[in-house]
Each structure stands twice: as structure tokens, then as C-alpha cells.
Amino acid sequence: CDLRDLPPMVASELSHVHTRPIDFVCDSEARRMMNKVKDLQVEMVVCSAVDALPSNIKLPCIRIHKATWERKSVHEQRVEILLSLGTLAQDVRSARTLSQPGCGLTLLVRLEHSINNYLHVVRLLHIEGEQVEPQAELCLGQPSKDFGLVLKHFGLLLTGKLEWLIAEMAKRC
């Protein structure tokens, strides 16, 4: 991707790309600043171009059965989140490539950027005793072309499963 092809407003979000994993775990303010879902939801209201996405996006599973989640190791929780984020990023990238220039494309670029930031940070999280990536089932919800629903599920993934993982890891801060 050539940076000259990206809309100018994307550059405004680059300041949080360098959030260190330890900041992400131990500083809830750093996580709050990195979460751009509410900003995207506000901008979506004025952009009718994203009412219907050009392709389906598989929604991540956001429901958590507390007892089942707590039985999983931190490693398994992390892998499950990485799989969800990776699939979401791939589907958003596909929708972006099919989008026409305009505010819809700009929002998809910003969403993809945000998802990739989370992927980067979660990949770099140091989990003690982690040697081999455990296997995890990829849990996906229904496919959707509704940008608002995609944002909602992404936000709930961040405030749900990811925050539960961080809460466990933050005990070492």
C-alpha cells in the first residue's frame, strides 16, 4: 500500500501505533486512547456510503461464558483474540479494496488501521511460559455488510474478551 494513496486523516491516528505492550497491559488510559470505535461510530453517522459494505465481514464471536473463558489459559485466550482480529482485518481489507473513493473508504481504512494496531500489540504481549502457540478454534458470528454492526462487534471484542485477557495479565503490573 502506497502511503500517498491514503486519505490525510489516517495520519492523525499514527501516534498510538507505538504503544508498548506493557503500556497496553498496565495503563488503561493507553488502551482507552487506542480504541477508536466510538470515533468511527460518530463519523459513520454522516457517511451514508458505509450503510452497506461491498462485501460481507465475518463478525467475531463476542459472547463470553465466564466459566469456560476462565478455564482457558492466557495463551489460549490470546490466540482466540488474535484469530478474531486477524479474520476481521482480512475481511475489512477485502471490503476496502472493493470500495469506491470517499468517506466509506476512509472509514474502512481507519478501521483496518485500528484492527492492525491491536493485532500488533496483542502479538507482542509477553506471556510467561509461552513457547508454542496453542491451538484455538476460530469462532465467527454471522457474516454482515452492516458497518455499524461490524463496529459494534469489534468494540465488544475489545471491551470484552480483550479486556478480560488484559485484566488477567495486569495482575503482574
Side-chain angles (χ1 to χ4, degrees), residues 3-140:
L3 290 178
R4 292 172 290 187
D5 295 335
L6 296 178
M9 76 170 59
V10 173
S12 67
E13 293 188 68
L14 295 178
S15 62
H16 300 293
V17 169
H18 301 292
T19 298
R20 298 175 309 162
I22 191 69
D23 293 336
F24 187 79
V25 171
C26 298
D27 184 356
S28 61
E29 181 66 15
R31 287 193 308 281
R32 189 187 68 71
M33 293 296 294
M34 191 172 157
N35 189 336
K36 300 295 181 192
V37 173
K38 288 203 187 313
D39 297 340
L40 291 169
Q41 288 170 328
V42 168
E43 292 177 36
M44 180 189 77
V45 172
V46 297
C47 180
S48 61
V50 292
D51 287 345
L53 295 169
S55 63
N56 278 319
I57 293 178
K58 291 176 242 44
L59 302 172
C61 290
I62 52 175
R63 293 191 177 178
I64 300 173
H65 182 263
K66 189 174 192 275
T68 303
W69 184 257
E70 290 175 344
R71 278 195 300 272
K72 293 179 181 184
S73 71
V74 175
H75 309 292
E76 291 168 318
Q77 293 172 0
R78 178 175 163 258
V79 169
E80 185 173 321
I81 293 165
L82 284 171
L83 286 171
S84 292
L85 288 170
T87 301
L88 191 57
Q90 180 180 346
D91 286 356
V92 169
R93 187 176 315 108
S94 294
R96 179 185 52 79
T97 62
L98 297 172
S99 292
Q100 298 298 316
C103 64
L105 177 60
T106 299
L107 287 174
L108 284 169
V109 168
R110 291 184 63 209
L111 176 58
E112 182 182 4
H113 177 78
S114 182
I115 295 166
N116 285 332
N117 281 346
Y118 279 100
L119 268 169
H120 179 72
V121 171
V122 174
R123 276 188 192 120
L124 293 177
L125 290 176
H126 175 71
I127 299 176
E128 289 182 25
E130 185 175 40
Q131 295 173 357
V132 177
E133 288 287 322
Q135 298 297 312
E137 277 188 39
L138 177 58
C139 176
L140 297 172

